[in-house]
């Protein structure tokens, strides 16, 4: 027969993991007491696992083992399913007893391993090639080393901590060199973690935490012992989690609890010892004494850390001493990759977890851990039992606890601790009773739904074995060499058996081991034996004479108990390492053992009458409470509906008034706009007339200029022809000199080429000699490589033989798996059809969920507002309840009177019935109105929020405008001061540059400060609803404003450009007139003036005299126009400010009127 470790292997010891959880169990383990054997059994003939380490990329797992009293490191590849061995490091060129700590490098290529004293060597491996890169001795005084680790970003940076040592080493040039020097008194450094590239937090056995940066101490703090308050001691029971949570990865194991306690025995017992530290994004977590973990967060301004949260191990009410159940030292801490979960292992071999969000919720009070899966055994298991009618396994242990497991669901059903140690246990075939042999008594107990209660005790001390009969009507207990037999009906001792008279039929050798447990199948065809080294042997029955059995590595200690289930499907084993394993039994063909009859397990449980009565009473009380709450909620909803209806009326009236005011304002703006359009059209026509006149004058002047320029062009053309003839002569002379120089150069370089060819021939001969030498060296290297290849070939042929043997074994297993696969494939096809139908339903449900989530978000906002009103209204409800009591008394009197009056009002009962029907219809209408009111309330809250946001934005914009006005005033004063230096260009340039540096950057800063995208987005969202209601008005106003402003800006820009052109033309006129006067003086025409010319020049002088007056009139007109434009701009700005105060109207932020400063300055210069 073959047995395989199934999925239902209970992790009763913190150092054991199952096959399915082999990849998930990546928590750091430590110490000699750690016996970590998984379902893959580690290596063959493994005597225990000492340390674990997982790579940062979570692909490889390194395990330190002792195989046949020799150390070995096995590296598994976790990405393959199931995980397979990648490398085994077992051939060492240095002395080593065991590896106590390991760590992978950040890129997972290198492995760091620390050996135990007295060697204390630190080994730096390139593990894929099994190459030792460096080795160094860490300590020469046999002090224990607890932890080694890599820097999270640097492969060459290494940290080592231990008793009296904190060392930083760097790998360089094939060696590990220490880079720090210890200062001050040596401490017993128990744990460390990297919080940054060059920062390490280290904890000691005296409760101190140190922060080192590049080997120098930067920060120090001491952890104080805090006793838990009474409130924390009286916490409710934390229920066990039945879900299997994945263990988070960590980089390096920690030392054993016993090793650290022995090393720190000289320290004070009152000081908390920091056994574990784990880093996360906000800071780090560390153990701080028994049952206590502290979270430290980094301070924003400094590089120091402060204590932010406290987490405690909860009190266990099932313990025999609940006050001491939380006094467990936390030995290891791990964060999940997403930092959502913190996992802790303790000195009592328990695993706890907590979600980090719970630590943030608890304000001021310490948070509490929960069991990761369920509470585990912390001592050797002494008893093991199973039953027929239920899938239960009962265990008892030297930790004074009894636990009931379910091997179908892989959960813990019940557990309880007692004052005495339990040595044996047996389950009744029905699964409702157990017999337990304690140190002082034998107890018969009931298994209730949530408790284990004893109902009969027998004075049998130190009962090593006990068992129910197959029918369950009898049970036997061992006391020394006497077996007592009791009946379960009358609970009396019916007989006692003493001594054994049987003979030994056959004796078989155990082959170098000691058999510690044995079990025979119910079919009588197979037998399983447990050994002292933790292995299981499967044999045929009757026993063969030769060595014919299959051996499986299981436990890390002697097996104490073995059992087969009633149907021979599962083998149960328990050992001194505190582990309980369940194995699946198969035949040679890989098929499971067939059951004789398929009978389902019973689901009945025992419950006491008092418990049922208490639960029924609680249910009645809860029902009454629910009814009362319904009545209260209905009454409160009615009151709210009344209040909200009043508010809705008020709001509607307000909005109607605002709409009317906006309409009136809009009409006023339209009339003003029409007036402005008329004015601007007239002004544009005047400007166009002026422009046409000036253009005609410019054309006359330009024609005269063109004639002068044409005469100059003809003169220059003659000069260019002469110059071209001179340059052609020079080019002919240069060509002749160039041909002579080329001939001389060709002769010189031909001589040099002959010399170089001779040198090349000599170099080629040297190259040939070097090639011959290279071929000879190449032949020698190839011969050496052939020898090495043959040696490697022999090694790998041996490995191939071993792998072929393993392949033959695997082929047998694949045949078994194929048969299973065919049966499973049929089930998969059926399941796929079900999955497709479920997927369709799931898609529908996801759509519903998304819509509901949106509704929930809106309702949450409404709930927050309603909670505030509820508090005020509860006071009113209290007063109204008092009035209701008084009215109830008054109602009783009135009811009596009403009964008498009803006799008199019999003819009107028909009318009352008709009125009741009308009332019912009205109530239905009221419900519809209530629904409409709730929807309106939501709309109103949204509108109020948007109104508040708009008011805040208006205030900000006004403040910004005030700041800008102040800045403009300052700029005007400074500019006025600069005008004083207008005659001194250098000083004026410096002053203008100073103004630029002073005001331009500030203006940019004001604009940058004003632009806050987040606020604008939030404002846009809140403004949507109001904009929809006022969409018609806004669109009209915005469109008209845009058209008006674009036209206005365009006209202003054209005016400015025209004014610039006019100024340039005037300058050209001045320049031409000065040239004319110069030419007249040169020709001396002014002295020889003819009478005819005088008569012709007089009107020109008159024109010159009249020109200044006309020019003055034009300047006055332009000045008047500019003043009118300024007044118009000021009036428009005032209107814009008034419109901005109205909600829902906003100016165009992107349009800016051009400044008239340039045109004004030009006009002032002209007038001067």
């Amino acid at each position: 027969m073959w047995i395989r470790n199934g999925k239902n292997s209970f992790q009763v010891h913190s150092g054991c993991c199952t096959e399915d959880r082999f990849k998930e169990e990546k928590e750091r383990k430590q110490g000699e007491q750690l016996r970590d054997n998984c379902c893959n059994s580690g290596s063959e003939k493994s005597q225990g696992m000492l340390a674990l380490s997982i790579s940062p990329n979570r692909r490889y797992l390194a395990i330190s083992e002792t195989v046949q009293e020799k150390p070995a490191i096995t590296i598994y590849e976790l990405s393959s399913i199931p995980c397979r061995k990648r490398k085994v490091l077992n051939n060492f060129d240095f002395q080593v007893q065991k590896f106590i700590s390991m760590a992978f490098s950040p890129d997972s290529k290198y492995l760091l391993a620390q050996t135990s004293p007295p060697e204390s060597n630190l080994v730096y491996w390139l593990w894929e090639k099994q190459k030792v890169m460096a080795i160094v001795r860490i300590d020469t005084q046999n002090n224990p080393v607890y932890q080694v680790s890599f820097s999270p970003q640097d492969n060459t940076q290494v940290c080592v901590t231990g008793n009296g040592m904190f060392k930083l080493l760097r790998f360089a040039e094939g060696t590990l060199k220490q880079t720090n020097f210890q200062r001050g008194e040596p401490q017993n450094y128990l744990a460390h973690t990297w919080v940054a590239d060059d920062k390490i937090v280290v904890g000691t056995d005296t409760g101190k935490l140190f922060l080192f940066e590049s080997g120098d101490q930067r920060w120090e703090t001491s952890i104080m012992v805090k006793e838990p308050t009474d409130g924390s001691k009286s916490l409710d029971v934390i229920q066990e989690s039945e879900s299997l949570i994945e263990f988070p990865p960590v980089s390096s194991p920690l030392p054993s609890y016993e090793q650290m306690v022995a090393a720190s025995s000289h320290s004070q017992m009152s000081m908390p010892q920091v056994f574990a530290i784990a880093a996360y994004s906000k800071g780090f977590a560390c153990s701080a004494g028994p049952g206590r973990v502290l979270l430290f967060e980094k301070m924003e301004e400094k590089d120091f850390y402060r204590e932010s949260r406290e987490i405690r191990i909860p009190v266990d009410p099932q313990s025999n001493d609940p006050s001491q159940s939380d006094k467990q030292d936390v030995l290891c801490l791990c964060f999940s990759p997403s930092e959502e979960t913190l996992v802790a292992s303790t000195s009592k071999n328990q695993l706890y977890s907590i979600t980090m969000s719970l630590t943030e919720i608890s304000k001021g009070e310490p948070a509490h851990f929960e069991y990761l899966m369920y509470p585990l055994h912390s001592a050797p298991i002494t008893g093991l039992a199973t039953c027929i009618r239920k899938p239960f396994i009962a265990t008892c242990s030297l930790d004074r606890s009894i636990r009931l497991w379910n091997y179908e669901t892989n959960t813990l059903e019940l557990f309880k601790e007692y004052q005495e140690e339990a040595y044996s246990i047996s389950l009744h075939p029905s699964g409702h009773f157990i017999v337990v042999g304690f140190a002082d008594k034998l107890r018969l107990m009931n298994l209730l739904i949530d408790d284990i209660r004893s109902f009969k005790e027998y004075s049998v001390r130190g009962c090593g074995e006990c068992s129910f009969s197959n029918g369950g009507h009898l049970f036997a207990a061992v006391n020394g060499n006497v077996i007592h037999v009791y009946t379960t009906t009358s609970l009396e001792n019916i007989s006692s058996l003493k001594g054994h008279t049987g003979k030994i039929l056959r004796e078989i050798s155990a082959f170098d081991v000691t058999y510690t447990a044995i079990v025979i199948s119910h079919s009588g065809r197979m037998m399983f034996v447990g050994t002292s080294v933790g292995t299981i042997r499967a044999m045929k029955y009757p026993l063969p004479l030769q060595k014919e059995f299959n051996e499986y590595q299981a436990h890390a200690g002697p097996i104490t108990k073995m059992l087969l289930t009633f149907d021979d499907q599962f083998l149960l084993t328990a050992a001194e390492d505190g582990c309980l394993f369940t194995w699946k039994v198969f035949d040679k063909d890989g098929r499971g053992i067939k059951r004789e009859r398929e009978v389902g397990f019973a689901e009945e449980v025992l419950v006491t009458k008092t418990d049922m009565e208490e639960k029924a009473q609680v249910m009645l009380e809860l029902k009454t409470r629910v009814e009362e709450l319904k009545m209260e909620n209905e009454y409160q909803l009615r009151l709210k509906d009344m209040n909200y209806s009043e508010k809705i009326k008020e709001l509607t009236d307000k909005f109607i008034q605002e709409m009317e005011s906006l309409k009136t304002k809009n009409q006023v703006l339209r009339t003003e706009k029409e007036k402005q359009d008329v004015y601007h059209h007239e002004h544009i026509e005047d400007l166009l007339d002026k422009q046409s006149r000036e253009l005609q004058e410019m054309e006359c002047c330009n024609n005269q200029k063109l004639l002068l320029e044409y005469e100059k062009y003809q003169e220059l053309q003659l000069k260019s022809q002469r110059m071209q003839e001179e340059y052609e002569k020079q080019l002919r002379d240069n060509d002749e000199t160039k041909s002579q120089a080329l001939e001389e150069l060709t002769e010189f370089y031909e001589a040099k080429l002959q010399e170089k060819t001779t040198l090349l021939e000599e170099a080629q001969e040297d190259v040939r000699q070097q090639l011959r030498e290279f071929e000879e060296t190449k032949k020698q290297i190839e011969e050496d490589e052939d020898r090495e290849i043959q040696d490697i070939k022999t090694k790998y042929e041996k490995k191939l033989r071993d792998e072929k043997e393993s392949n033959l074994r695997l082929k047998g297993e694949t045949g078994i798996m194929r048969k299973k696969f065919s049966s499973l494939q049929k089930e998969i096809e059926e399941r796929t059809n079900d999955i497709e139908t479920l997927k369709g339903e799931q898609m529908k449900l996801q759509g519903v969920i998304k819509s509901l989530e949106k509704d929930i978000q809106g309702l949450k906002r409404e709930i927050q507002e309603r909670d505030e009103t509820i508090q005020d209204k509860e006071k009113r409800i209290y007063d109204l309840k008092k009035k209701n009591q008084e009215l109830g008394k008054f109602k009783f009197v009135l009811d009596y009177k009403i009964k008498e009056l009803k006799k008199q009002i019999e003819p009107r009962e028909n009318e009352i019935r008709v009125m009741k029907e009308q009332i019912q219809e009205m109530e239905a209408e009221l419900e519809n109105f209530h629904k409409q009111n709730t929807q309106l309330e939501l709309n109103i809250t949204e509108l109020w929020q948007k109104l508040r946001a708009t008011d805040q934005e208006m205030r900000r914009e006004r403040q910004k405008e005030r700041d800008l006005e102040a800045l403009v005033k300052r700029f005007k004063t400074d500019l006025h001061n600069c005008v004083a230096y207008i005659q001194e260009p250098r000083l004026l340039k410096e002053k203008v540059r100073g103004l630029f540096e002073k005001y331009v950057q500030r203006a940019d800063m004001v604009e940058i400060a004003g632009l806050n995208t987040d606020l604008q987005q939030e404002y846009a969202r809140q403004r949507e609803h109001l904009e929809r209601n006022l969409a018609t008005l806004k669109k009209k106003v915005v469109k008209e404003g845009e058209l008006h402003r674009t036209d206005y800006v365009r006209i202003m820009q054209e005016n400015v450009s025209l004014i610039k052109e006019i100024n340039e033309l005037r300058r050209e006129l001045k320049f031409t007139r000065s040239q004319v006067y110069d030419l007249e003086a040169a020709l001396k025409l002014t002295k020889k003036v003819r009478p005819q010319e005088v008569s012709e020049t007089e009107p020109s002088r008159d024109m010159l005299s009249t020109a200044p007056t006309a020019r003055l009139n034009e300047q006055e007109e332009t000045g008047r126009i500019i003043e009118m434009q300024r007044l118009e701009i000021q009036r428009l700005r005032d209107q814009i400010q008034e419109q901005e105060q109205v909600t829902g109207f906003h100016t165009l932020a992107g349009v800016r009127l051009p400044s008239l400063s340039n045109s004004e300055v030009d006009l002032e210069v002209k007038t001067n």
Side-chain angles (χ1 to χ4, degrees), residues 636-648:
Q636 289 175 2
L637 285 169
R638 287 175 184 174
L639 290 173
K640 286 179 182 178
D641 292 335
M642 295 293 289
N643 292 326
Y644 286 129
S645 62
E646 292 175 358
K647 289 180 181 179
I648 287 162

Side-chain angles (χ1 to χ4, degrees), residues 37-160:
N37 281 314
C38 63
C39 297
N40 284 342
S41 303
S43 301
E44 293 183 0
K45 298 182 180 180
S46 175
Q47 297 173 357
M49 298 184 184
L50 303 173
L52 299 177
S53 179
I54 190 165
S55 61
N57 60 8
R58 298 179 181 84
R59 290 185 61 191
Y60 306 109
L61 176 68
I63 301 175
S64 171
E65 300 178 280
T66 303
V67 181
Q68 293 181 347
E69 298 182 356
K70 291 182 180 180
I73 296 174
T74 307
I75 298 170
Y76 290 87
E77 188 173 355
L78 302 179
S79 58
S80 61
I81 300 174
C83 53
R84 62 182 181 85
K85 290 182 182 179
R86 181 68 180 268
K87 291 287 180 183
V88 179
L89 308 176
N90 52 12
N91 295 322
F92 309 114
D93 298 333
F94 49 88
Q95 292 184 353
V96 58
Q97 293 182 358
K98 56 188 175 182
F99 294 98
I100 58 174
S101 180
M102 296 183 298
F104 277 97
S105 62
D107 58 359
S108 306
K109 291 182 180 179
Y110 299 95
L111 180 67
L112 198 67
Q114 177 65 45
T115 65
S116 62
E119 296 87 4
S120 297
N121 289 324
L122 181 66
V123 187
Y124 191 93
W125 257 303
L126 181 62
W127 63 268
E128 287 186 347
K129 295 184 179 180
Q130 299 184 1
K131 183 180 179 181
V132 177
M133 305 297 291
I135 184 170
V136 65
R137 188 169 185 180
I138 294 298
D139 186 63
T140 58
Q141 299 178 357
N142 292 335
N143 289 324
V145 179
Y146 299 140
Q147 186 181 355
V148 297
S149 66
F150 275 100
S151 170
Q153 300 294 332
D154 190 359
N155 288 345
T156 61
Q157 189 78 15
V158 176
C159 179
V160 182

